[in-house]
Amino acid sequence: MEFMRQHGILKDVYKESESTSHRTARGRSITHRTSKGPGFGPKGIMRYVLPQTVFLKLKDIGGDVLPAYREHYQEVAMSPEMSEQYDGLSRVLRAELKEALRKGDKTLLGVVLNVLLAWPDCCFREESVRHPRTRLQLAHTPAVLGEEAGPKEEELIALCRREKSRGRKVLVYATYTGTRDTTTRMKKLLDNEGFKVAVLRASVDASKREDWLFEQVERGVEVIITNPELVKTGLDMLEFPTIVFMQTSYNVYTLQQASRRSWRIGQTEPVDVYFLGYKGTAQTTCLELMAKKIAVSQSTSGDMPDSGLDVLNQSGDSIEVALAKQLIA
């Protein structure tokens, strides 16, 4: 036990309970138990592991261990009807947000950001925006798209068609998988174009996702759609050298991990990663801020970005805060 306290993980659990069996007062008892946890403690790591360890990045190994890795940003123009509806929605919500912030109310911040980021990808459904506290309706837009593909979805179909002609499989990332589910719609659109498509959902247990992936490859699946959170660590997807981000989250770590799922040791094909964003929307602004944050994280880890220190975000704000400042400017 002493060794575990020095170098391992111990969990001390205290339980407090009350007894009502006393006539004049309540009795209170505290029990304590200690259980062993998995892992090696920081003291043991510092003393026995780090002095014997060398940390290397793949690029330090040399010998062309990995093939080429390229990232592409493709700006997609909205249709005139989408642009008109978005401009009206943005104008109303930004005015409401400015008024709320003037009164010191920050509850609208997350709502406005999420709606403006999501609406261009989710305009196949009507959107009602309500105040999170008062439940008053702030804005409403009807559905713009029907069964037909939107501009970004048409770009995805064209890209998948091009990659199929080259014999390459495609991994598609979508962050809207809940109430604003875009994965089912994308699967249907790609199915109609003759692609073999599978959707990896959270219902597939993490320990079984690798087997699920092998099964889809054996079935001849050409496109897999999933949320980047489900595959950001511990899963190699070498069979899918082309990656498409239909949407991204605010999390720089998740984006960097998910974008390199197929750029692993054992990959022989060049890896191409595409980011699709609607022109003139909050999506483009968010991607610009993400690029700055990634450059900062690379700089602090010793990897200088191509654009140098000019891209450093000196404000140090989070993506959400920086995006909000641009929206209300």
Side-chain angles (χ1 to χ4, degrees), residues 276-306:
L276 304 185
Y278 277 115
K279 183 178 181 180
T281 67
Q283 291 182 358
T284 303
T285 306
C286 184
L287 285 170
E288 290 174 354
L289 293 171
M290 289 288 282
K292 292 181 180 181
K293 290 292 183 181
I294 290 172
V296 172
S297 68
Q298 289 176 340
S299 299
T300 55
S301 64
D303 293 332
M304 296 307 295
D306 294 336

Side-chain angles (χ1 to χ4, degrees), residues 92-143:
V92 171
L93 292 181
R94 290 170 70 171
E96 292 284 351
L97 178 59
K98 286 182 179 180
E99 180 63 21
L101 292 176
R102 188 182 65 81
K103 297 177 180 178
D105 181 7
K106 298 182 180 180
T107 56
L108 269 183
L109 192 57
V111 175
V112 172
L113 291 180
N114 288 331
V115 170
L116 292 183
L117 283 171
W119 187 87
D121 286 317
C122 307
C123 59
F124 55 86
R125 59 192 287 275
E126 63 178 17
E127 187 78 43
S128 293
V129 186
R130 295 183 178 276
H131 195 287
R133 284 192 297 101
T134 64
R135 307 308 302 167
L136 292 175
Q137 182 170 294
L138 305 177
H140 176 82
T141 57

Side-chain angles (χ1 to χ4, degrees), residues 213-252:
L213 179 63
F214 289 147
E215 181 182 342
Q216 304 311 312
V217 173
E218 289 177 358
R219 289 178 50 235
V221 166
E222 299 160 324
V223 181
I224 283 184
I225 305 172
T226 187
N227 190 311
E229 289 287 344
L230 301 182
V231 298
K232 66 180 180 181
T233 54
L235 192 62
D236 294 342
M237 308 189 75
L238 302 177
E239 296 83 1
F240 298 83
T242 300
I243 298 176
V244 183
F245 281 87
M246 292 294 283
Q247 304 111 25
T248 64
S249 65
Y250 298 127
N251 194 314
V252 170

